[in-house]
Amino acid sequence: MPVAAPSSASSDLRSPLLYPAQPPAGDGEYATEKLCIDHMLRKYCGEFGFWQYKHFVLTSLAWALEAFHTMVMIFADREPGWRCVGQVSDCSSGAGSVCGLEPGSWEWVGGPGSSTVAEWGLVCGQKYKVGLVQALFFGGCMIGQFSLLSNYNHFVWLPNFAIGKSLLYIQKLTTDENKVNIWPSLRLKIGTERISESPPSPTYWTYALFRLLTGFSTGGVGLCAFVLATEPVGPSKRGLAGMSTFYFFSGGIAVLSGVAYIFRSWRYLYIATSIPSILFLFIILPFVSESPRWYLVRGKMDQAMKIMHNIAIANGNFLPDGVSLAMDDESSTSPNYKEEVESKEAMTPRTRLRLILVVAINFSCSVVYYGLSINVVNLETNLYINVLVNAVAEMPAYILTAVLLDKFGRKPLGVGTQWFSGLFCILGSLLSGHGKWKVVRMVCGVLGIFGMAGTYNLLFIYATELFPTVVRNAALGCATQAAQMGAILAPFVVVLGGGIPFAVFGVCGLVGGILTFYLPETSNRPLYDTMNGMEDGESAWTVA
């Protein structure tokens, strides 16, 4: 037990000979040094060492799985080629579509199992159903995220993601028209309901229902993965780390194009893209740690300090016992802090304006990004190569944005990337979709998605820095909800065909850039924990 040295006043006979030992570190009242998380990472633990690198990679793998289940619709719901059968005079291979042809005079290339369009005849008057089922997926994402928005525990969302994929996996087995059975008697109990080996009818509406459930299960996974991956990273490295999460999403799309090339049947394609999510649940998730910020803002100091000690040890650094975590606003430890976290009145006018702008920008960017991704089916080029090229084109956008992020700041970069994308989309709407011009239009689409990928990547780190910890998940959740609404609209825009989708995407890109002008610059500013802390900090920056 350490003994304190007597002070000069120890000549008083009433002073004790032995002074009490210092309480253990973590007790905020007696700690000799109290630091917020960012300062502790800078001074003791390390901003981006081995612990953060491992945590970042494992968490960001969820983005690749998200890409699988989002973009698989491009291949599963595509309209395959067709050809005439026999010597039927009414059939001409030069016809623009099969709408005016007699039934039985033509057939789908690859058979009816090649896509949902071929199996259920989603052409001509039924073509709207293609956009509907894709919109239902994004609608499910929005509903699922909304239902989980009030639950800030990241571990609750990630298992839901994988469980939903396992349900989709089972559905793809049980709705095969050939009734493929892996086990003699497959039974899955969910609560009190049982799904027996007798498969449901292999109909379009059954497929639409399970796509809705898949979207519901994936709602919020990307948001959780981003927040969870970037919150333990130091402020000087957080921007680069946040921008790097989307490499996993683009990488997932690139891998998906190869998987889709191998599995030409839409059912087996769904199975192949669902299995990795189940493996993620059992192999990767147990090694993912909760965010120390999540513990801190809820008063769980011991758990937060335990993680900070683990970070320091894994990074080869030393965190002294006399150091403790503290909020950037010490009043957050008061009894009224819980009310601040849960009350809508905690939102200041500054924060409300930021939220409105972020929601509108996310909506417009989502229409462009997902619209351009799905619109490859209208370009009449090689679908697998086009999807691969789009995915590869996104990666240089991430690199360029990461390099220019600190040099030009978040705001100018956000405006520039959106306008870049919008202008090329407008150009694409003016070009013909036939002959050599369809290649030029494809290039415009690639450049459009190049610019919007940089914006979409930037928006996550930008929105993270615009809001304090107490409302960050909720604010990002609202922004992601708006993005899901844009994604719901995108398939219906794509179904219109021709140059209309490019025109809509161009207008959205230009409007989004204008709205970004009204957001403040957040480069080199700290992440605030509370509303009061943000208001005081922003006021200090304004005065400076």
Side-chain angles (χ1 to χ4, degrees), residues 330-346:
E330 288 296 328
S331 65
S332 61
T333 58
S334 67
N336 294 329
Y337 173 65
K338 184 177 181 181
E339 296 180 5
E340 179 184 348
V341 175
E342 296 179 353
S343 174
K344 294 181 180 179
E345 296 302 322

Side-chain angles (χ1 to χ4, degrees), residues 95-110:
S97 69
V98 298
C99 296
L101 303 180
E102 291 292 329
S105 64
W106 60 275
E107 65 179 4
W108 294 109
V109 177

Side-chain angles (χ1 to χ4, degrees), residues 179-211:
K179 299 182 181 180
V180 177
N181 286 316
I182 302 302
W183 299 282
S185 178
L186 174 64
R187 294 180 182 270
L188 174 67
K189 183 175 183 181
I190 307 176
T192 59
E193 300 293 331
R194 289 181 179 272
I195 301 176
S196 69
E197 67 176 6
S198 178
S201 300
T203 65
Y204 165 83
W205 294 111
T206 302
Y207 169 68
L209 172 62
F210 274 90
R211 283 301 285 169

Side-chain angles (χ1 to χ4, degrees), residues 42-351:
R42 280 174 171 168
K43 190 171 182 179
Y44 295 110
C45 302
E47 295 192 71
F48 196 79
F50 175 78
W51 191 97
Q52 286 100 333
Y53 178 80
K54 181 191 72 172
H55 180 79
F56 175 83
V57 172
L58 294 180
T59 306
S60 298
L61 286 175
W63 278 102
L65 305 180
E66 181 83 353
F68 277 13
H69 298 287
T70 301
M71 298 303 178
V72 68
M73 66 179 68
I74 297 175
F75 302 100
D77 301 335
R78 66 187 174 88
E79 182 176 335
W82 59 275
R83 60 194 171 200
C84 295
V85 178
Q87 301 296 325
V88 182
S89 58
D90 293 338
C91 180
S92 173
S93 299
S97 69
V98 298
C99 296
L101 303 180
E102 291 292 329
S105 64
W106 60 275
E107 65 179 4
W108 294 109
V109 177
S114 58
S115 76
T116 59
V117 171
E119 180 153 335
W120 293 308
L122 307 181
V123 292
C124 306
Q126 300 295 313
K127 191 173 183 180
Y128 75 94
K129 290 184 177 180
V130 177
L132 177 61
V133 72
Q134 294 173 353
L136 284 173
F137 169 81
F138 291 115
C141 291
M142 186 174 66
I143 297 171
Q145 183 184 348
F146 180 78
S147 66
L148 296 170
L149 190 59
S150 60
N151 192 332
Y152 291 167
N153 190 329
H154 307 291
F155 280 159
V156 173
W157 290 2
L158 291 176
N160 272 276
F161 169 68
I163 291 171
K165 302 310 163 294
S166 65
L167 291 177
L168 182 66
Y169 171 73
I170 292 171
Q171 186 264 341
K172 296 312 162 194
L173 292 177
T174 57
T175 57
D176 194 337
E177 67 177 353
N178 293 323
K179 299 182 181 180
V180 177
N181 286 316
I182 302 302
W183 299 282
S185 178
L186 174 64
R187 294 180 182 270
L188 174 67
K189 183 175 183 181
I190 307 176
T192 59
E193 300 293 331
R194 289 181 179 272
I195 301 176
S196 69
E197 67 176 6
S198 178
S201 300
T203 65
Y204 165 83
W205 294 111
T206 302
Y207 169 68
L209 172 62
F210 274 90
R211 283 301 285 169
L212 176 67
L213 294 176
T214 303
F216 179 84
S217 69
T218 61
V221 170
L223 169 63
C224 282
F226 178 84
V227 174
L228 194 57
T230 56
E231 281 196 343
V233 178
S236 67
K237 307 294 183 182
R238 190 178 298 122
L240 181 59
M243 302 291 283
S244 300
T245 57
F246 281 81
Y247 285 109
F248 292 85
F249 190 83
S250 299
I253 298 176
V255 172
L256 174 64
S257 63
V259 174
Y261 184 81
I262 297 172
F263 296 94
R264 299 299 181 95
S265 168
W266 69 271
R267 285 191 173 85
Y268 289 110
L269 176 60
Y270 271 115
I271 294 173
T273 54
S274 297
I275 292 176
S277 297
I278 302 174
L279 298 177
F280 180 88
L281 174 63
F282 295 104
I283 298 176
I284 303 298
L285 193 61
F287 297 97
V288 176
S289 173
E290 183 57 89
S291 168
R293 293 181 187 274
W294 186 88
Y295 283 131
L296 178 61
V297 297
R298 280 152 186 81
K300 300 181 179 181
M301 184 67 70
D302 292 338
Q303 292 94 323
M305 284 301 302
K306 181 179 179 181
I307 294 177
M308 298 305 292
H309 278 286
N310 291 339
I311 294 175
I313 294 172
N315 292 347
N317 297 320
F318 176 70
L319 180 61
D321 291 336
V323 180
S324 177
L325 283 172
M327 305 288 290
D328 53 19
D329 177 12
E330 288 296 328
S331 65
S332 61
T333 58
S334 67
N336 294 329
Y337 173 65
K338 184 177 181 181
E339 296 180 5
E340 179 184 348
V341 175
E342 296 179 353
S343 174
K344 294 181 180 179
E345 296 302 322
M347 293 285 285
T348 63
R350 185 198 306 269
T351 310

Side-chain angles (χ1 to χ4, degrees), residues 408-461:
F408 294 102
R410 279 65 165 158
K411 181 175 176 177
L413 209 55
V415 174
T417 52
Q418 288 180 85
W419 283 1
F420 180 89
S421 176
L423 290 175
F424 275 101
C425 287
I426 293 292
L427 178 60
S429 68
L430 303 177
L431 299 175
S432 171
H434 304 285
K436 62 181 181 180
W437 292 110
K438 69 180 181 181
V439 178
V440 179
R441 176 180 278 187
M442 185 193 79
V443 173
C444 289
V446 171
L447 292 175
I449 207 168
F450 170 87
M452 195 52 62
T455 305
Y456 218 78
N457 191 10
L458 172 65
L459 279 178
F460 265 82
I461 187 63

